Amino acid sequence: MSRRRRARKSAGSPPEATPVASAGSPAARRVWLGRLGLAALLCGAVLFGHLPALHGGFIWDDSVLLTDNAMIKAPDGLYRFWFTTEAHDYWPVTSTTFWVEWRLWGMDPTGYHVTNLALHAVEALLLWAILLKLQVGGAYLAALVFAVHPVNVESVAWIAQRKNLVAMLFLLLTTLFFLKADTDDEGRGRRPRFGPGDRWYWLSLATFLLALLAKGSVATAPVLLLLLVWWRRRRVTTRDLVRVVPFAAIAAALVLVNIWFQTHGGAEPIRTASLGERLLGAGAVPWFYLSKALLPVHLAFVYPQWHVEVGNPLWWLPLLGALAVSAALARFRETWGRPFLMAWAFFCVALLPVMGLTDVYFMKYSLVADHYQHVAIIGVIALVTAG
């Protein structure tokens, strides 16, 4: 055979395929059984790690959101949560879960704790799936650490933090669906479509809306999605930016709604901090949460309130340090700094709503809280376990 004919034959023939076990083969069954075993282990870790929470009672604002909430007990409560301005916050998805469960458990806190444990277990499974899709090393270990990390206990054991868990669950679904929409069968990036056939994209948008209706602090998700795109392809195109515009529009609209709910009625300001105090406090916040993520000791339900002093040079160091680290990692983003920049950027962007630049009611007592980094801690855990 001539060289030209051999070349034509080679070009027209598919490459030799690697044998793959069929879906019903013993090898495939072993793979699925192995994954089911790992999933069961992950769920067991959540249960074992948070078992004492099942014996906990109602605490602090559990009364405001649940036990003493007249709308939870009212037959028309669902309508009032979704279509009136009676609630303190517009988080109707979270309120709906409480409304339904009140009819199941009433004043027995055990049922609410079981639901929180189940939500956290699903979160861990979804995180495992997302990190596998992103081809991040140590994906299962990251999910396991997330499942039992002490910082997450507050989100799981505190019934009122159901909003954290529900918002996180829908945020993870948003991410998984978005990644599916951004990938074809061969794992290569493809151009986005907005037609009815692009079901994964629209599912991603729908679950993001549900996440925002559970808790508004997930509003930074459009930026987080762009970070994941950059991680996969090392660049963000105009098409990628266009694709997240609907996410950003929904986030902006519901952030304004939440601000209105929190400020209408003439309530007193939560904090009277100046712009300088807010900026310096925001510069220190990531370092506090990073220390607790890496060394979770001396955790507290309510940390001492910070007293930021603009005139004290020591308060400027955390902000300057954060800016310096960001600049250094951006400088080496194409080499050794890429995974560190990804983790640092994810961490800081996820913390933006709770850095103290804007007020959250809990900041009346403390500027920081463990449950504030429920999303952000993923970046730190994924980096450490991959390493």
Side-chain angles (χ1 to χ4, degrees):
M1 184 183 298
S2 69
R3 182 179 301 175
R4 182 175 297 176
R5 288 176 61 192
R6 286 198 302 269
R8 284 199 301 266
K9 182 175 180 180
S10 176
S13 302
E16 185 176 349
T18 303
V20 178
S22 61
S25 68
R29 285 197 295 270
R30 284 195 295 270
V31 169
W32 279 106
L33 286 175
R35 289 180 178 176
L36 287 175
L38 290 173
L41 179 62
L42 200 55
C43 295
V46 170
L47 176 61
F48 181 77
H50 300 84
L51 197 59
L54 295 179
H55 305 290
F58 298 109
I59 58 173
W60 208 359
D61 61 348
D62 288 347
S63 58
V64 176
L65 295 179
L66 178 61
T67 58
D68 294 340
N69 191 332
M71 286 189 286
I72 291 291
K73 304 172 185 179
D76 63 343
L78 287 183
Y79 173 84
R80 293 160 67 184
F81 282 127
W82 284 90
F83 303 110
T84 74
T85 60
E86 295 181 52
H88 295 289
D89 298 285
Y90 191 64
W91 298 332
V93 169
T94 299
S95 300
T96 297
T97 67
F98 284 143
W99 188 90
V100 171
E101 285 190 88
W102 179 261
R103 281 140 187 83
L104 297 174
W105 329 121
M107 286 295 293
D108 183 358
T110 304
Y112 304 98
H113 285 305
V114 170
T115 302
N116 277 16
L117 287 181
L119 289 170
H120 189 51
V122 176
E123 285 179 355
L125 293 171
L126 288 172
L127 179 59
W128 179 26
I130 289 169
L131 294 178
L132 282 175
K133 198 160 191 64
L134 290 171
Q135 299 181 341
V136 174
Y140 183 77
L141 179 58
L144 186 60
V145 172
F146 176 81
V148 298
H149 199 290
V151 163
N152 286 331
V153 169
E154 188 170 287
S155 294
V156 181
W158 186 1
I159 293 174
Q161 285 308 315
R162 169 72 58 80
K163 52 185 179 283
N164 237 22
L165 299 175
V166 177
M168 174 69 139
L169 184 143
F170 283 119
L171 177 63
L172 292 172
L173 285 173
T174 297
T175 304
L176 185 61
F177 294 152
F178 189 87
L179 293 175
K180 284 180 175 292
D182 190 59
T183 308
D184 61 17
D185 293 337
E186 296 177 350
R188 297 191 297 263
R190 63 173 172 82
R191 294 182 176 182
R193 292 181 290 122
F194 293 93
D198 199 358
R199 65 185 185 280
W200 294 119
Y201 177 84
W202 295 110
L203 279 172
S204 179
L205 197 60
T207 50
F208 178 55
L209 175 60
L210 292 174
L212 285 169
L213 292 174
K215 189 179 181 182
S217 61
V218 296
T220 57
V223 182
L224 298 179
L225 293 175
L226 288 177
L227 282 172
L228 296 179
V229 169
W230 173 78
W231 174 254
R232 299 181 89 184
R233 305 199 220 119
R234 293 180 176 267
R235 64 192 180 95
V236 175
T237 66
T238 303
R239 289 180 177 274
D240 297 320
L241 295 174
V242 170
R243 198 171 208 193
V244 300
V245 165
F247 291 84
I250 291 175
L254 283 175
V255 164
L256 292 176
V257 169
N258 276 282
I259 290 174
W260 185 88
F261 266 77
Q262 292 176 6
T263 57
H264 85 287
E268 294 184 2
I270 297 171
R271 299 164 65 214
T272 57
S274 66
L275 178 60
E277 291 170 341
R278 291 174 186 271
L279 287 174
L280 295 185
V285 162
W287 300 111
F288 172 85
Y289 287 125
L290 185 61
S291 69
K292 295 301 181 183
L294 296 175
L295 190 64
V297 296
H298 305 300
L299 302 180
F301 185 55
V302 181
Y303 291 98
Q305 185 63 278
W306 293 4
H307 301 287
V308 181
E309 301 176 10
V310 178
N312 186 344
L314 293 179
W315 273 104
W316 287 82
L317 295 179
L319 177 59
L320 295 175
L323 294 174
V325 167
S326 301
L329 294 178
R331 169 67 177 81
F332 297 99
R333 64 186 179 276
E334 297 299 333
T335 53
W336 62 267
R338 184 168 177 263
F340 294 94
L341 177 61
M342 176 63 196
W344 175 253
F346 186 98
F347 185 68
C348 291
V349 169
L351 286 175
L352 269 176
V354 292
M355 281 187 175
L357 297 172
T358 57
D359 291 335
V360 179
Y361 185 78
F362 189 84
M363 292 178 182
K364 181 177 182 179
Y365 308 99
S366 176
L367 187 61
V368 292
D370 288 343
H371 63 272
Y372 283 166
Q373 69 163 320
H374 190 55
V375 175
I377 200 173
I378 291 174
V380 178
I381 293 174
L383 176 67
V384 173
T385 54

